[in-house]
Amino acid sequence: MKQKMVTTERDCKARLVPAGNPTVIPEGEFVNITQELGGNYTVTWRGNMYRIDGTDAGAIGRKAMTLSFDAPEDGHISEQQVWDALETIFDPEIPINLVSLGLIYKVEIDQGTGSVNIDMTLTAPGCGMGPVLVGDVEYRVAMVPHVKNVNVELVFDPAWSRDMMSEEAQLEAGLFF
């Protein structure tokens, strides 16, 4: 993708790369779109790099990704909806979703508190995008009805390997022969 300068059309939530700190880019600011992968956008603004979630893409003049779920009538969190939300999150360098990459190790739901606890890993322990990916998981899973709190724990045992990827993901990445 060629870099493209755009003006924010409204206040836009973003996360500083690679730290993952949340911020708001105000309406009317010039940002430079440097990357679009997995439905998310990487932009530069005021000398720093930020990640904008695809659900907020309308703020930079792009078609916003729609992520919506029907609320279960019983007031409980649907585990399937949590997994569906996780499948919408893509590794920023490999445009394959985290579930297919095998990066999600565990999902536990506490219906009493409305909490979702997730153990996940990274493709490499030193991955600088770890905080951004954690922020992506927190942001998207919080969109599932009845979720009040998302806790993400980065774990590195067992160590991730490409064998944890789905066959489809291996094919997409050119690793399956």
Side-chain angles (χ1 to χ4, degrees):
M1 166 182 184
K2 283 182 105 176
Q3 294 186 21
K4 182 173 183 177
M5 177 131 343
V6 298
T7 305
T8 53
E9 298 177 7
R10 60 175 167 79
D11 287 358
C12 180
K13 292 185 248 176
R15 285 187 309 284
L16 182 65
V17 173
N21 302 340
T23 193
V24 173
I25 300 172
E27 177 182 354
E29 291 287 315
F30 289 104
V31 298
N32 193 32
I33 301 172
T34 59
Q35 187 179 62
E36 176 184 354
L37 281 176
N40 291 316
Y41 297 85
T42 302
V43 302
T44 54
W45 174 61
R46 294 187 179 171
N48 291 305
M49 189 176 292
Y50 295 89
R51 184 159 160 111
I52 296 173
D53 192 88
T55 58
D56 293 317
I60 56 171
R62 298 293 188 263
K63 183 174 174 155
M65 174 190 170
T66 303
L67 186 61
S68 65
F69 301 98
D70 293 328
E73 292 181 19
D74 62 5
H76 288 136
I77 298 167
S78 162
E79 183 173 347
Q80 183 59 54
Q81 290 178 345
V82 170
W83 283 103
D84 292 346
L86 289 168
E87 287 181 340
T88 69
I89 304 162
F90 289 75
D91 183 284
E93 297 171 325
I94 312 165
I96 298 173
N97 77 68
L98 302 186
V99 174
S100 294
L101 280 172
L103 298 179
I104 305 299
Y105 285 174
K106 180 174 69 172
V107 172
E108 290 181 346
I109 298 172
D110 182 333
Q111 298 290 357
T113 63
S115 295
V116 177
N117 301 302
I118 298 169
D119 285 357
M120 67 174 280
T121 195
L122 305 171
T123 55
C127 175
M129 291 297 286
V132 172
L133 282 173
V134 167
D136 287 352
V137 169
E138 292 169 342
Y139 190 77
R140 295 272 176 99
V141 172
M143 293 180 176
V144 173
H146 310 299
V147 171
K148 295 179 181 141
N149 190 27
V150 181
N151 303 301
V152 179
E153 181 81 25
L154 275 180
V155 297
F156 298 100
D157 186 28
W160 179 86
S161 73
R162 74 179 198 183
D163 296 332
M164 295 174 168
M165 296 170 68
S166 69
E167 287 185 5
E168 294 84 6
Q170 289 183 34
L171 280 169
E172 192 173 334
L175 300 173
F176 195 67
F177 303 97

